[in-house]
């Protein structure tokens, strides 16, 4: 059994894989370390990998290492099954590396654009030869709502709504929802179209917490894979056997 730990800006995700099959997945808020520790202590696994874009508590790392002789803490020096054609690999987010590996392994020998919609929206492109070519980063839905409230005097702080948003808002809140949700959709389709102009046979994979709300609203066909990052981390663990 493989233990996969993905620590993001909002949640800590934990997954268990039996070979290449996802067996179980749990999510913990970042202030719930005790609950996460209890889960790890009561779970049997043979090897593990940790990917984190935040400061990882030493107590979690220590507990994991106590239970297995093989723990990979993903960084720019970790062996991966793709080539990073990136000018600053040490600054490349661990999540983006794992997503690129996941996309490459899900669609081998194909051009793949991976869009992860969470705290940020990341775009990562890997070509059919296994070369990661970089991408883009923009604010996610929550950041967009927060910025409108924080940097204006009178606009309220709203929450993302999972419903159909009209292009023409008839109130301030409706206008904000329209600007953010439709703006994100236009952005996503715009990026996909630009990549498709250069790579006609490209696959597009969408993942991340908000992807389940936006996937079916895009004009371009995409593959939804909510657990792509976890699959990518598991592939990296296998690659290092």
């Amino acid at each position: 059994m493989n233990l996969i730990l993905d620590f993001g800006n909002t949640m800590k995700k934990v997954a268990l894989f039996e070979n290449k099959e996802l067996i179980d997945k749990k999510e913990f808020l970042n202030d719930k370390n005790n609950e996460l520790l209890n889960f790890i202590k009561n779970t049997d696994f043979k090897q593990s990998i940790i990917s984190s874009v935040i400061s990882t508590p030493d107590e979690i790392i220590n507990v994991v290492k106590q239970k297995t002789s093989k723990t990979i803490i993903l960084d720019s020096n970790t062996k991966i099954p793709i080539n990073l054609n990136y000018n600053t690999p040490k600054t490349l987010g661990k999540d983006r590396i794992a997503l690129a590996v996941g996309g490459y392994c899900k669609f081998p020998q194909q051009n793949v654009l991976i869009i992860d919609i969470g705290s940020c929206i990341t775009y990562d492109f890997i070509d059919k030869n296994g070369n990661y070519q970089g991408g883009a980063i923009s604010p996610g839905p929550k950041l967009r709502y927060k910025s409108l409230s924080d940097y204006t005097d009178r606009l309220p702080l709203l929450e993302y709504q999972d419903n159909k948003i009209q292009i023409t808002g008839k109130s301030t809140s409706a206008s904000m929802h329209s600007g953010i949700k439709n703006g994100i959709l236009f952005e996503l389709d715009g990026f996909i179209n630009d990549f498709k102009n250069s790579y006609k046979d490209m696959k597009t994979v969408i993942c991340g917490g908000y992807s389940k709300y936006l996937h079916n609203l895009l004009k371009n066909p995409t593959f939804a894979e909510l657990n792509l990052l976890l699959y990518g981390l598991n592939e990296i663990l296998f690659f290092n056997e």
Side-chain angles (χ1 to χ4, degrees), residues 92-120:
L92 181 59
K94 316 301 185 302
D95 52 343
R96 297 178 69 189
I97 294 173
L99 287 168
V101 171
Y104 174 73
C105 292
K106 285 281 185 181
F107 298 97
Q109 298 181 326
Q110 298 183 68
N111 297 310
V112 184
L113 175 65
I114 302 139
I115 304 175
D116 183 31
I117 311 174
S119 298
C120 294

Side-chain angles (χ1 to χ4, degrees), residues 70-103:
K70 180 180 178 182
T71 296
I72 293 175
I73 299 178
L74 183 63
D75 61 24
S76 59
N77 295 316
T78 304
K79 291 191 301 182
I80 56 176
I82 62 174
N83 173 54
L84 296 181
N85 185 16
Y86 201 69
N87 293 338
T88 56
K90 290 185 177 180
T91 70
L92 181 59
K94 316 301 185 302
D95 52 343
R96 297 178 69 189
I97 294 173
L99 287 168
V101 171

Side-chain angles (χ1 to χ4, degrees), residues 5-14 26-32 36 51-54 119 209:
L5 299 171
D6 166 40
F7 298 166
N9 290 303
T10 305
M11 305 287 291
K12 290 184 174 73
K13 297 178 183 179
V14 186
K26 294 186 181 298
E27 297 181 349
F28 301 89
L29 292 172
N30 278 342
D31 60 354
K32 301 295 183 181
L36 173 57
S51 169
S52 180
V53 298
I54 61 174
S119 298

Side-chain angles (χ1 to χ4, degrees), residues 3 14 33-45 59-60 62-64 66-67:
L3 177 73
V14 186
N33 285 338
N34 287 336
E35 294 180 11
L36 173 57
L37 282 169
N38 288 334
F39 176 81
I40 296 172
K41 290 176 180 178
N42 293 302
T43 300
D44 293 325
F45 53 92
E59 57 183 342
I60 293 177
N62 292 336
V63 168
V64 172
Q66 287 171 6
K67 298 201 64 172

Side-chain angles (χ1 to χ4, degrees), residues 181-208:
K181 189 166 186 177
N182 289 308
I184 289 174
L185 291 172
F186 297 151
E187 176 187 311
L188 296 174
D189 274 317
F191 267 100
I192 295 170
N193 287 334
D194 272 358
F195 275 98
K196 284 171 62 177
N197 287 335
S198 299
Y199 303 94
K200 304 298 183 183
D201 58 345
M202 183 187 76
K203 303 289 186 183
T204 302
V205 186
I206 186 170
C207 57

Side-chain angles (χ1 to χ4, degrees), residues 1-3 44-48 67-70:
M1 193 81 76
N2 293 342
L3 177 73
D44 293 325
F45 53 92
K46 292 183 178 179
Q47 53 186 356
S48 64
K67 298 201 64 172
T68 177
S69 59
K70 180 180 178 182

Side-chain angles (χ1 to χ4, degrees), residues 203-222:
K203 303 289 186 183
T204 302
V205 186
I206 186 170
C207 57
Y210 289 95
S211 62
K212 57 188 174 184
Y213 306 123
L214 298 168
H215 169 242
N216 292 324
L217 300 177
L218 292 169
K219 294 179 180 179
N220 283 284
T222 61

